[in-house]
Amino acid sequence: MPRLSEFDLIARHFAPLAAPGGHGLLDDAATLAVPSGHDLVLTKDMLAAGVHFFADDPPDSLAVKALGVNLSDLAAKGATPLGFLLGLALPPDIDDGWMAAFARGLGDMAAAHGCPLLGGDTIRAAGGLTLSVTASGHVPSGRMVRRIAARPGDLLLVSGTVGDAALGLRLRTEPASAFSLGLPSAEAGFLRDRYLRPQPRTALAPVLLGLARAAMDVSDGLAGDAFKMAGRLGLDIRLADLPLSAAARAALAIDPALIETVATGGDDYEVLAAVAPADAGSYEAAARAAAVPVTRIGVFGPPGGAHRLLAADGSERRFARLSHVHA
Amino acid sequence: MPRLSEFDLIARHFAPLAAPGGHGLLDDAATLAVPSGHDLVLTKDMLAAGVHFFADDPPDSLAVKALGVNLSDLAAKGATPLGFLLGLALPPDIDDGWMAAFARGLGDMAAAHGCPLLGGDTIRAAGGLTLSVTASGHVPSGRMVRRIAARPGDLLLVSGTVGDAALGLRLRTEPASAFSLGLPSAEAGFLRDRYLRPQPRTALAPVLLGLARAAMDVSDGLAGDAFKMAGRLGLDIRLADLPLSAAARAALAIDPALIETVATGGDDYEVLAAVAPADAGSYEAAARAAAVPVTRIGVFGPPGGAHRLLAADGSERRFARLSHVHA
């Protein structure tokens, strides 16, 4: 199949996804009207083949991941999506069928989260495929939910379930391990899909805006990210309280040592929130109303306090590392 | 020299460049207040080693180019810069000295154009160095200067001088050509620098906003870009009227065939504007007041009209291609 020109590629695959402010993707810039009394929120995450994904991942899943990780940042900051820019560095083996599947995944994700395409750039890759998304959203002026703003005594809550994506990645990289061989295929499929297709918690954004003191999404690893959020404050995380999917529970039943992967593996894209104890009940109720489960997993301590992972008996667990580092 | 962690790299080299809305580059997103009654303007251009620049180009020049090409898009759209996000995919051989020089170039460019760093992402490159910048600016609501909006009879004007960057590139790729060997070193240095360090026409933005019917910057090639701007309209460009630097004139004196490179080479980052004949004098005066020289080089014709490059005697010149295509 002949390689598409940049013009044809945009006209065929991307122009149908464009917001009005994208001007049909025929201009050099996009326009965006930010609601009055609101700040624009901007985030940018890049993904590279061989670092953040496998070159042979399904193209629609790459679109879901590239846009999803950026939407996840917006959600954790309490922002409502406005639109995104897409940068693509394409290796020569990308053909029209690949691009059609990629655009389909991108369009579905954009529609599901109300975040249309505004523009971008497509270049020839010097190495492998690289994706660079800039997503924009809005929050009431001065109200972006910050990463480092928890106070001593605040509770730590996390959305959804954790560890699934990291277990899904280990299924791929260690197909001969006991848990890879022992896990039923439905559970294995669930975990693999959680790695491939992160689902950003856009519905949680307004809840965070009203009730969270601080928040961030889990991209590098639950423990490492939560301790980043604590900054100079202490933080105790109770491992026995981590919310687990049925598939993750099945994996842990085969190999209990996988708790380390659950607690420190990346790519969950769930939202960690620091909530004042008096607001925790309201936060849980509002999250439930938004169809997002949330779970209390820890408590922040005083400045200079320790960052600890605690077992059910209250003893401290130490792992070799606290995050899965991509880059 | 040991490789810096992403955290150290940001703290040492990039945090000093951050705008207040960048939150010290310690959060997952940046905030931006867009003036009321204004639209946000967003643009994104990626650059890859081996495609848009040479891997051994001076690091400060890569910063100037990566930010400059995006600032050039903002300027051509009439937008005042607000800030930018930087995406860096770094190969393993990038060391701290390289990064310090890159950050210096970036900081100087950002300061000169009032466009501070807001945030971004740094990843490990699967291939060579890739730079992805998203720049933002603002225009009065609904007033972004569009690319395809000229009317028949409008004049085509271009800022500065054209062809310098393309000639500078040929000096590098064809060091044994007659013009490379014949050009005095001062002129050669000027041309090389125009390729390495594009200077966006930020000062022209308010002039375009008030007086241009349509505009775009010259990135791929003067002729190709101007004809894109014409769209369905006809356009005659007078080759003899193209504004040339003394260095470009010296090159053409050695090899008159270089007019093709001047008219179709890319990387000028000058601004093409379509201006109504009645406004052309005001446009020239306002540009002069902003210290940006502009020159009348063509005229738009009726819908369906031809796109022509005309020699001094009025005959049509045809070249093998109209643009230098990067990707």
Side-chain angles (χ1 to χ4, degrees):
Chain A
M1 169 140 349
R3 183 135 184 257
L4 287 176
S5 75
E6 182 176 9
F7 182 85
D8 291 336
L9 187 144
I10 291 170
R12 189 181 310 182
H13 297 298
F14 295 126
L17 309 181
H23 306 293
L25 308 185
L26 291 170
D27 214 311
D28 300 303
T31 50
L32 209 50
V34 179
S36 95
H38 285 66
D39 284 340
L40 187 82
V41 177
L42 284 170
T43 184
K44 181 186 192 79
D45 270 329
M46 294 176 85
L47 289 82
V51 182
H52 303 85
F53 58 86
F54 297 87
D56 61 350
D57 279 348
D60 69 301
S61 78
L62 297 187
V64 167
K65 184 173 278 197
L67 182 52
V69 302
N70 282 279
L71 286 169
S72 177
D73 278 327
L74 289 183
K77 303 291 102 184
T80 302
L82 278 168
F84 73 102
L85 302 174
L86 173 67
L88 277 175
L90 296 172
D93 60 334
I94 298 285
D95 64 17
D96 196 52
W98 190 99
M99 198 51 71
F102 179 86
R104 197 165 53 239
L106 196 67
D108 289 350
M109 192 73 172
H113 295 271
C115 192
L117 182 62
L118 291 169
D121 194 19
T122 305
I123 65 168
R124 204 148 43 83
L129 178 66
T130 301
L131 306 166
S132 173
V133 168
T134 300
S136 62
H138 62 90
V139 291
S141 297
R143 297 275 306 283
M144 184 179 90
V145 181
R146 302 295 307 276
R147 182 196 282 186
I148 302 178
R151 297 188 200 164
D154 281 355
L155 304 183
L156 177 68
L157 294 96
V158 70
S159 64
T161 59
V162 296
D164 300 321
L167 293 170
L169 176 58
R170 288 192 67 170
L171 286 172
R172 293 185 65 166
T173 57
E174 300 164 34
S177 69
F179 111 91
S180 294
L181 297 171
L183 207 62
S185 67
E187 279 75 3
F190 172 85
L191 296 177
R192 282 201 194 88
D193 200 60
R194 285 273 284 167
Y195 171 76
L196 280 175
R197 295 182 176 80
Q199 297 304 316
R201 294 296 190 179
T202 303
L204 198 60
V207 181
L208 293 161
L209 203 54
L211 292 162
R213 197 112 72 180
M216 73 181 289
D217 65 336
V218 179
S219 56
D220 294 339
L222 176 88
D225 287 341
F227 293 151
K228 268 186 219 164
M229 205 174 136
R232 292 181 53 251
L233 297 189
L235 176 58
D236 281 346
I237 297 176
R238 300 179 300 274
L239 291 172
D241 290 348
L242 296 185
L244 301 179
S245 66
R249 281 197 302 273
L252 282 169
I254 298 171
D255 180 359
L258 289 172
I259 187 66
E260 178 166 355
T261 297
V262 169
T264 67
D267 297 310
D268 284 326
Y269 300 102
E270 296 293 354
V271 177
L272 291 164
V275 180
D279 292 330
S282 306
Y283 180 78
E284 288 165 325
R288 200 178 310 121
V292 180
V294 295
T295 306
R296 304 181 189 204
I297 62 168
V299 59
F300 291 88
H307 292 168
R308 302 190 302 176
L309 295 169
L310 302 178
D313 64 2
S315 66
E316 187 175 355
R317 290 289 305 267
R318 293 179 185 271
F319 297 126
R321 52 184 193 175
L322 297 169
S323 293
H324 171 81
V325 177
H326 291 291
Chain B
M1 169 138 351
R3 186 140 181 252
L4 287 177
S5 74
E6 182 177 9
F7 182 85
D8 292 335
L9 187 145
I10 291 169
R12 190 180 313 183
H13 297 299
F14 295 127
L17 309 182
H23 305 293
L25 309 185
L26 291 170
D27 214 312
D28 300 303
T31 50
L32 209 50
V34 179
S36 97
H38 285 67
D39 285 339
L40 187 82
V41 178
L42 284 170
T43 184
K44 183 187 190 75
D45 270 329
M46 294 177 85
L47 289 82
V51 181
H52 303 86
F53 58 87
F54 296 88
D56 61 350
D57 279 348
D60 69 298
S61 79
L62 297 187
V64 166
K65 185 174 278 198
L67 182 52
V69 303
N70 283 280
L71 287 170
S72 176
D73 278 328
L74 290 184
K77 304 290 102 182
T80 301
L82 278 168
F84 73 102
L85 301 173
L86 173 67
L88 277 176
L90 296 173
D93 60 334
I94 297 286
D95 65 16
D96 195 53
W98 191 98
M99 198 52 70
F102 179 85
R104 198 166 49 238
L106 197 67
D108 290 349
M109 193 72 172
H113 294 272
C115 191
L117 182 62
L118 292 169
D121 194 19
T122 306
I123 65 168
R124 204 148 44 83
L129 178 66
T130 302
L131 306 166
S132 173
V133 168
T134 300
S136 62
H138 63 89
V139 291
S141 297
R143 297 273 308 282
M144 186 180 88
V145 181
R146 302 296 307 275
R147 183 197 279 186
I148 302 177
R151 297 187 198 164
D154 282 354
L155 305 184
L156 177 68
L157 294 96
V158 71
S159 64
T161 60
V162 296
D164 299 321
L167 292 170
L169 176 58
R170 288 192 68 170
L171 285 173
R172 293 186 62 167
T173 57
E174 301 164 33
S177 70
F179 109 92
S180 294
L181 297 173
L183 207 61
S185 68
E187 279 75 2
F190 172 86
L191 296 177
R192 282 201 195 89
D193 200 61
R194 286 272 286 167
Y195 171 76
L196 280 176
R197 295 181 175 81
Q199 296 305 316
R201 294 298 191 178
T202 303
L204 197 61
V207 181
L208 292 161
L209 203 55
L211 292 162
R213 195 112 74 183
M216 74 181 289
D217 66 334
V218 179
S219 56
D220 294 338
L222 176 90
D225 287 340
F227 293 151
K228 269 187 218 162
M229 204 175 137
R232 293 179 53 252
L233 297 189
L235 175 60
D236 281 344
I237 297 176
R238 300 178 301 274
L239 291 172
D241 290 348
L242 297 186
L244 301 179
S245 66
R249 282 198 302 273
L252 282 168
I254 297 171
D255 181 359
L258 289 172
I259 187 66
E260 178 166 355
T261 296
V262 168
T264 68
D267 297 309
D268 284 326
Y269 300 101
E270 296 292 353
V271 177
L272 290 164
V275 180
D279 292 329
S282 305
Y283 181 79
E284 289 165 325
R288 199 178 311 122
V292 180
V294 295
T295 306
R296 305 181 187 205
I297 62 168
V299 59
F300 292 89
H307 292 168
R308 302 190 300 177
L309 295 168
L310 302 178
D313 64 2
S315 65
E316 187 175 353
R317 290 289 303 268
R318 292 179 185 272
F319 297 126
R321 54 185 192 175
L322 296 169
S323 292
H324 171 80
V325 177
H326 291 292

